[in-house]
């Protein structure tokens, strides 16, 4: 008999107090995993659940609930007693005040598509005990510390596989995944879909080892092993992830030039031909074209200046022979750059051969220069004439 695989997506503690910019216990990059989570929420999981810390004021995990000096967040640890078994005690870490009931910090991120969620589990509601997991408190109690019995919910929907993402990897995600495995579900933590307080070996590194020992698989969103795990137990059929790789969601994301980030925060490369890459290529072409136009303009200016300098010196007067190569270029209108020097074009409307053309161009270009010289000479003669009468008057006065 074929056993149907039914999968649940479990989104852990994607709340304001766990994310920048205002979270009291903000995890670096916490908001960066929202696009991936929203894409997962679009997939046909049989059940989509979110958990959230929902602590009362004065919760036992808050640093402000303890006396100094042993009340430093992230550093201090305190001994707590099992409220249902006073003989049992356990050390817990202290945190800044976070996710207090009725405060904005306890809200799920507005970017998360909550319309796709079917159940929201509020956990950590008992002031006396810490609760990282969505299933049980740190002593393993199922109680009013959570508003939903998560195990009963998953079994009611005949869930066989649980995929876990969210915050933080080495605490709430880890403990939720381990408890799900202990309840008999096949459990996966999607590494690109989580962030940690400590990404080092003592934090996420150690957490991965614990997950592995508990039978939880830490996978990549691209992991081919997921396809195998998501088939029916007799090997038939395609699972959620095989469909995901073939469906339009991934294609649309790649078209947008996107890419999910891995646990280290580096972006997975989009496929070649994505608009982002095309846009970049187009900009590079525009820059290269602009540079070419600038070079052509500089060549134009340089050629005009050289031609003007050549025209100022008449080859006949200087006794130099005209350069046939240059004359030929001017006569045909050709140069190293095509269709340059507009002025030269206008003057060379009626082409001639050899040095005759060159001399004509020189004559035409020399004419304005000669006129300037004649005007200067006339000005000098006028000055002399103006001064001459003045001298005559002075002689007359002497007489």
């Amino acid at each position: 008999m074929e056993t149907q695989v039914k999968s649940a997506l479990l989104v852990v503690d994607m709340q304001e107090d766990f994310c920048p910019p205002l979270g009291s216990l903000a995890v670096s990059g916490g908001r960066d995993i929202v696009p991936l989570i929203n894409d997962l929420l679009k997939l046909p999981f049989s059940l989509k659940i979110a958990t959230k810390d929902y602590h009362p004021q004065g919760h036992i995990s808050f640093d402000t609930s303890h006396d100094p000096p042993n009340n430093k967040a992230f550093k201090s640890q305190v001994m707590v007693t099992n409220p249902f078994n006073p003989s049992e005690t356990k050390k817990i870490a202290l945190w800044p005040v976070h996710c207090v009931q009725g405060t904005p910090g306890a809200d799920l991120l507005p970017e998360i598509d909550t319309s796709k969620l079917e159940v929201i589990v509020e956990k950590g509601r008992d002031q006396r005990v810490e609760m990282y997991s969505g299933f049980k408190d740190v002593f393993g109690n199922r109680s009013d510390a959570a508003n939903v019995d998560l195990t009963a919910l998953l079994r009611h929907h005949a869930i066989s596989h649980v995929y876990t993402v969210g915050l933080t990897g080495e605490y709430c995600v880890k403990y939720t995944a381990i408890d799900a495995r202990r309840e008999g579900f096949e459990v996966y933590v999607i590494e690109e879909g989580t962030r940690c307080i400590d990404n080092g070996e003592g934090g996420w590194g150690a957490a991965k080892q614990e997950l592995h020992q508990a039978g939880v698989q830490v996978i990549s969103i691209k992991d081919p092993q997921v396809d195998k795990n998501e088939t029916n137990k007799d090997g038939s059929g395609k699972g959620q992830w095989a469909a995901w790789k073939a469906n339009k969601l991934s294609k649309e994301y790649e078209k947008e030039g996107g890419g999910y980030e891995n646990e280290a925060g580096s972006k997975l490369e989009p496929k070649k031909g994505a608009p982002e890459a095309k846009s970049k290529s187009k900009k590079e072409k525009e820059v290269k074209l602009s540079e070419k136009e600038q070079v052509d303009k500089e060549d134009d200016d340089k050629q005009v200046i050289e031609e003007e300098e050549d025209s100022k010196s008449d080859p006949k007067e200087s006794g130099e022979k005209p350069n046939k190569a240059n004359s030929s270029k001017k006569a045909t209108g050709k140069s190293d750059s095509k269709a340059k020097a507009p002025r030269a074009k206008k003057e060379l409307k009626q082409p001639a051969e050899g040095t005759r053309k060159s001399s004509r161009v020189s004559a035409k270009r020399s004419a304005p220069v000669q006129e300037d010289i004649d005007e200067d000479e006339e000005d000098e003669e006028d000055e002399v004439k103006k001064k001459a009468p003045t001298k005559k008057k002075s002689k007359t006065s002497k007489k």
Side-chain angles (χ1 to χ4, degrees), residues 185-253:
F185 304 102
E186 291 293 326
V187 185
Y188 309 97
V189 174
I190 302 169
E191 193 165 17
E192 293 93 342
T194 188
R195 289 292 183 272
C196 303
I197 296 170
D198 179 2
N199 290 305
E201 287 302 314
W204 181 231
K208 285 199 287 187
Q209 290 180 3
E210 288 183 59
L211 289 163
H212 177 71
Q213 290 167 4
V216 176
Q217 297 185 54
V218 179
I219 61 171
S220 167
I221 198 166
K222 303 191 300 178
D223 198 333
Q225 186 182 5
V226 180
D227 292 341
K228 182 180 177 183
N229 290 330
E230 267 293 87
T231 58
N232 296 321
K233 289 185 180 178
D234 66 352
S236 64
K238 283 190 175 182
Q240 300 278 2
W241 288 94
W244 181 85
K245 289 182 179 179
N247 72 12
K248 65 179 181 179
L249 296 177
S250 60
K251 290 176 183 176
E252 285 175 358
Y253 199 68

Side-chain angles (χ1 to χ4, degrees), residues 295-311 326 329-345 348 365:
V295 170
D296 288 346
K297 184 177 181 303
E298 289 174 359
D299 289 344
D300 289 345
D301 295 342
K302 187 176 179 181
Q303 184 179 354
V304 170
I305 291 168
E306 287 175 352
E307 288 179 355
E308 287 179 350
E309 287 177 353
D310 290 343
S311 65
N326 290 340
K329 282 183 183 178
K330 289 179 184 180
T332 57
K334 293 181 181 178
S335 64
D336 293 338
S337 301
K338 292 182 180 180
K340 292 179 181 177
R343 283 211 235 159
K345 270 188 175 182
L348 300 178
R365 290 194 176 274

Side-chain angles (χ1 to χ4, degrees), residues 6 9 47 67 87-88 103 130 174-175 185 194 215 229 248 264 327 332 344 346 351 355 381:
K6 293 188 74 175
L9 177 66
L47 190 60
D67 297 326
S87 64
E88 188 177 7
T103 66
E130 177 66 287
K174 179 187 77 173
Y175 286 110
F185 304 102
T194 188
N229 290 330
K248 65 179 181 179
S327 300
T332 57
K346 189 174 180 180
T355 55
E381 289 176 1

Side-chain angles (χ1 to χ4, degrees), residues 37-243:
I37 291 172
N38 281 338
D39 272 359
L40 292 174
L41 285 169
K42 294 174 186 175
L43 297 179
F45 286 97
S46 299
L47 190 60
K48 300 165 188 175
I49 306 166
T51 69
K52 57 187 287 189
D53 269 5
Y54 207 59
H55 299 310
Q57 292 283 356
H59 189 259
I60 200 165
S61 71
F62 295 166
D63 55 356
T64 55
S65 299
H66 302 273
D67 297 326
N70 191 32
N71 66 340
K72 294 179 181 177
F74 303 105
K75 294 180 180 179
S76 298
Q77 291 187 329
V78 297
M79 193 70 73
V80 296
T81 302
N82 184 347
F84 303 101
N85 182 7
S87 64
E88 188 177 7
T89 58
K90 190 180 287 282
K91 273 189 175 182
I92 64 165
L94 295 185
W95 309 105
V97 176
H98 64 280
C99 302
V100 175
Q101 296 172 11
T103 66
D107 293 341
L108 293 175
L109 297 180
E111 302 97 303
I112 296 287
D113 186 0
T114 55
S115 67
K116 300 289 195 301
L117 295 169
E118 293 153 286
V119 180
I120 297 176
V121 178
E122 296 172 353
K123 62 186 178 69
R125 303 191 309 168
D126 190 331
Q127 187 184 46
R128 302 168 297 171
V129 65
E130 177 66 287
M131 187 173 184
Y132 297 125
S133 168
F135 291 84
K136 307 168 186 176
D137 66 29
V138 293
F139 293 103
N141 301 313
R142 288 190 180 91
S143 67
D144 291 340
N147 68 332
V148 174
D149 185 334
L150 198 46
T151 302
L153 177 69
L154 293 171
R155 286 179 180 161
H156 175 74
H157 287 272
I159 297 300
S160 59
H161 292 59
V162 175
Y163 290 88
T164 311
V165 293
L167 303 171
T168 64
E170 76 272 50
Y171 285 98
C172 296
V173 171
K174 179 187 77 173
Y175 286 110
T176 297
I178 289 173
D179 279 350
R181 184 71 189 105
R182 286 173 179 167
E183 294 297 332
F185 304 102
E186 291 293 326
V187 185
Y188 309 97
V189 174
I190 302 169
E191 193 165 17
E192 293 93 342
T194 188
R195 289 292 183 272
C196 303
I197 296 170
D198 179 2
N199 290 305
E201 287 302 314
W204 181 231
K208 285 199 287 187
Q209 290 180 3
E210 288 183 59
L211 289 163
H212 177 71
Q213 290 167 4
V216 176
Q217 297 185 54
V218 179
I219 61 171
S220 167
I221 198 166
K222 303 191 300 178
D223 198 333
Q225 186 182 5
V226 180
D227 292 341
K228 182 180 177 183
N229 290 330
E230 267 293 87
T231 58
N232 296 321
K233 289 185 180 178
D234 66 352
S236 64
K238 283 190 175 182
Q240 300 278 2
W241 288 94

